[in-house]
Amino acid sequence: MTDTAKATCTRYRVIKITTVGFGQSAAADEGTMWEGKDPDVLSRQFPPSNVMGADLLGNNEIDGGLIRTDFRFERQTNQGVWKGCRDPRRRITPITEREREIDLENRRQFPGDFFNGCNNCGGRNCDGC
């Protein structure tokens, strides 16, 4: 079987885990959010993002961690068993309007986290050292 044929037979799924509470009293709920054969479909539906807070499948929390949402990626083996795997998504689409808006808000709220100067000398008006 060729690598292409193997890839088309592989099934992937994304499990969403919502946890409410802390420690022993925390209650977790799991459910399949997406399942399919083509990671490119997943990549288009939920594009991976390096913009903080913009990845729809990125782990997040509210109320100081009281409510947490995590995602687990799984791949089905030839024996039909689901095993954890790395995120199979890749960037296919251009940056979305949502990502642009979140990036602008991040830059407004946390300006010290973003450096726009020369990586060599630190100058802002450098011609590239």
Side-chain angles (χ1 to χ4, degrees), residues 93-104:
T93 60
I95 190 167
T96 65
E97 186 60 33
R98 179 178 179 276
E99 286 175 294
R100 277 191 195 90
E101 291 172 5
I102 291 172
D103 184 59
L104 285 172

Side-chain angles (χ1 to χ4, degrees), residues 7-21:
T8 59
C9 295
T10 302
R11 291 193 63 79
Y12 295 92
R13 70 181 179 185
V14 179
I15 306 297
K16 179 180 180 181
I17 305 120
T18 303
T19 307
V20 179

Side-chain angles (χ1 to χ4, degrees), residues 60-68:
N60 62 63
E61 60 181 51
I62 57 175
D63 287 339
L66 178 65
I67 302 170
R68 295 177 307 283

Side-chain angles (χ1 to χ4, degrees), residues 13-21 23 26-34 56-62 65-74 83-85:
R13 70 181 179 185
V14 179
I15 306 297
K16 179 180 180 181
I17 305 120
T18 303
T19 307
V20 179
D29 181 45
E30 290 190 13
T32 302
M33 185 170 170
W34 182 90
L56 294 171
L57 299 181
N59 301 330
N60 62 63
E61 60 181 51
I62 57 175
L66 178 65
I67 302 170
R68 295 177 307 283
T69 305
D70 301 294
F71 297 91
R72 182 175 68 239
F73 299 90
E74 298 180 337
K83 298 268 188 177
C85 69

